[in-house]
Amino acid sequence: MQAVTSQSAGPLRGTITVPGDKSVSHRALMLGGIAVGETRISGLLEGEDVLATAAAMRALGADIRRGEDGLWTVIGRGVGGLCEPDRVLDLGNSGTAVRLLMGLLATYPFATMFTGDASLNSRPMERVMAPLRLMGARFTARSGGRLPITVEGGELVVPIEYELPVASAQVKSAILFAGLNAPGQTIVIEPQPTRDHSERMLRHFGAEVISEDLSGGGKRITLSGQPELAGRAITVPADISSAAFPMAAALLVPGSDILLRNVGINPLRAGLLDTFREMGGRITLSNIRGEDGEPIADVRVEASALQGITVPASRAPSMIDEYPVLAVVAAMAEGTTHMPGLGELRVKESDRLAAMATGLAAAGVRVEETEDSLTVHGVGSASNVGIAGGNTICANLDHRIAMAYSVLGMVTARPVVIDDGSPIATSFPGYVDLMNGLGAKITVG
Ligand code: S3P
């Protein structure tokens, strides 16, 4: 346990580059590990979640090294070429790592055992096991379909056509990764589009992946099985989900003006930019370009007077990890922000709906929580009542809850204490120093 205290700060100013995108980093190591030849990755996120994936891929036979220049190289084993690990794969806090690896290994004729920390071992895994069983995999799981779990591929690997019952890029990716080692076409239908990093990166490595728009807004993704994947160079964009915290802080702290470089702005990830702008946030993109299949830009954020809005439920998948910090921003906006369609927040690293409703209320904000929505009544930045703060938040092994409340502490009358800031290292190593470098006042211990 490592307590973190955040208190009101002067303007935030400066130019920063937040660490690499977590979703892209996991996928680069996994696909690099099953490509033939060398994959060179620059900008890989060196957070605990991704390092857990690197360790797992090594245990499965991939040769993964970090150069002194921070460039990572992966020598892959080819599709179908992973080997039986001699230990239980512990993926720590990472749902993405475990779910995607379950897919990757669901077609192999050996048993792979997975476990994680207390948070990961309480999260639902049936959502990936159900489609993978249809492809021939067998699972042994703890009650409630929870980790620890063992997966073993069947004698017959069957490609499937599967419609996602939940909007989840992790489930989609698990099925596509299993489909890599299946004959014929694997098809995923998603009624609500989710982040498409897997599809983009699979194409980058040479797989045939066709994505068709469906009437009604969904997508149909078709992967041709057993491709030859060739090692590639990959530049990982800065993670918009990490950028969300300094962005939110800069919007809220009067006089702030910051520039974030090389931020991934994939439209299926960047819903927060639309939301902040609709609230009145002054956000300017420049230097928009593409890097190895992913769009990126430099993002300038200036302190702004914000209004409450209703965030359309259809936008939720494109900013699903950003709701905790959005709830903090909403608390300082003028008027009410309504956020429907958030049922999935209950099964993230913690129950994020409850964590935001409870912590904001304890800080003095009026909040309403339903099974799948959050409504925050903002105090308005011009208010001289403000938000009291002075409370202690339980992070519950959830990095984004810890960081969201560190942003709240920058604008409350009294400091906000987070009981344990150590989970921040899962996705955003160096967070405290980077924020303090901009002008925040966050102390550890
Ligand atoms: C991720 C997908 C999302 C997201 C997670 C990363 C991914 O999860 O919350 O942080 O990399 O595919 P779901 O697939 O459960 O929505």
Side-chain angles (χ1 to χ4, degrees):
M1 297 279 269
Q2 194 179 49
V4 167
T5 304
S6 178
Q7 58 187 294
S8 88
L12 305 185
R13 285 174 184 267
T15 298
I16 56 171
T17 308
V18 303
D21 187 282
K22 185 151 70 69
S23 295
V24 173
S25 296
H26 284 300
R27 287 160 171 83
L29 290 172
M30 290 180 198
L31 294 185
I34 55 162
V36 173
E38 187 178 271
T39 289
R40 286 183 314 285
I41 311 169
S42 65
L44 188 87
L45 169 62
E46 296 180 346
E48 288 168 5
D49 277 13
V50 174
L51 297 179
T53 288
M57 290 305 297
R58 282 192 190 108
L60 293 162
D63 180 354
I64 302 183
R65 292 164 204 230
R66 181 191 192 278
E68 278 173 16
D69 50 3
L71 197 73
W72 287 67
T73 50
V74 182
I75 313 281
R77 300 191 56 96
V79 170
L82 295 174
C83 49
E84 182 182 20
D86 63 359
R87 69 200 77 153
V88 176
L89 303 184
D90 185 344
L91 282 314
N93 192 251
S94 180
T96 308
V98 82
R99 292 190 177 125
L100 270 54
L101 285 170
M102 279 165 70
L104 202 61
L105 289 154
T107 54
Y108 282 80
F110 52 73
T112 312
M113 292 162 221
F114 294 101
T115 192
D117 69 6
S119 156
L120 188 57
N121 285 5
S122 70
R123 295 179 66 185
M125 296 296 151
E126 181 56 31
R127 53 179 61 196
V128 271
M129 292 193 286
L132 297 175
R133 269 190 215 104
L134 300 174
M135 300 182 82
R138 288 188 299 267
F139 293 91
T140 308
R142 206 158 58 88
S143 63
R146 288 168 302 165
L147 293 168
I149 287 175
T150 301
V151 58
E152 188 166 2
E155 280 90 62
L156 208 63
V157 178
V158 196
I160 56 167
E161 173 167 336
Y162 191 79
E163 180 166 336
L164 296 183
V166 279
S168 166
Q170 293 176 357
V171 178
K172 170 177 63 177
S173 304
I175 299 167
L176 293 176
F177 284 9
L180 285 172
N181 199 26
Q185 295 192 323
T186 293
I187 299 169
V188 181
I189 295 165
E190 42 178 15
Q192 267 189 295
T194 63
R195 64 188 71 192
D196 61 355
H197 305 302
S198 295
E199 296 91 306
R200 287 172 185 256
M201 200 182 290
L202 280 165
R203 285 188 203 109
H204 185 60
F205 275 97
E208 188 180 288
V209 182
I210 297 165
S211 190
E212 297 159 279
D213 292 331
L214 301 176
S215 60
K219 281 190 189 292
R220 177 189 168 93
I221 299 126
T222 306
L223 168 85
S224 301
Q226 298 174 325
E228 278 273 322
L229 301 184
R232 288 276 187 263
I234 296 180
T235 306
V236 180
D239 197 328
I240 190 164
S241 298
S242 297
F245 299 98
M247 282 172 59
L251 286 174
L252 297 184
V253 178
S256 298
D257 186 353
I258 65 168
L259 184 71
L260 299 107
R261 290 211 186 277
N262 309 335
V263 180
I265 53 160
N266 180 322
L268 292 167
R269 283 290 297 286
L272 186 69
L273 296 179
D274 299 330
T275 301
F276 278 164
R277 281 176 164 157
E278 283 170 21
M279 296 176 85
R282 289 191 292 162
I283 297 179
T284 326
L285 303 194
S286 60
N287 202 8
I288 298 173
R289 59 219 190 266
E291 197 90 74
D292 304 334
E294 290 284 347
I296 56 177
D298 298 337
V299 181
R300 181 180 177 195
V301 185
E302 295 168 86
S304 310
L306 303 172
Q307 295 90 45
I309 59 164
T310 291
V311 184
S314 59
R315 194 181 291 161
S318 70
M319 52 173 290
I320 194 68
D321 293 333
E322 283 65 80
Y323 281 94
V325 81
L326 172 62
V328 168
V329 169
M332 286 300 289
E334 186 79 48
T336 300
T337 296
H338 181 50
M339 294 165 265
L342 304 189
E344 277 294 297
L345 286 199
R346 298 218 179 264
V347 291
K348 295 296 179 188
E349 285 82 331
S350 71
D351 178 343
R352 288 180 173 164
L353 254 186
M356 293 319 296
T358 316
L360 284 176
V365 181
R366 210 150 58 79
V367 187
E368 284 133 34
E369 172 193 5
T370 71
E371 199 38 46
D372 66 352
S373 75
L374 191 65
T375 302
V376 176
H377 301 281
V379 295
S381 53
S383 139
N384 46 21
V385 180
I387 301 173
N391 54 316
T392 297
I393 301 295
C394 183
N396 277 328
L397 292 177
D398 191 330
H399 50 135
R400 298 201 204 283
I401 295 301
M403 287 186 278
Y405 281 110
S406 76
V407 174
L408 182 70
M410 294 178 205
V411 289
T412 46
R414 287 188 292 143
V416 170
V417 179
I418 297 109
D419 68 339
D420 183 16
S422 54
I424 293 171
T426 60
S427 69
F428 202 150
Y431 173 74
V432 170
D433 288 345
L434 192 121
M435 293 300 276
N436 286 344
L438 288 172
K441 281 190 192 154
I442 306 176
T443 49
V444 178

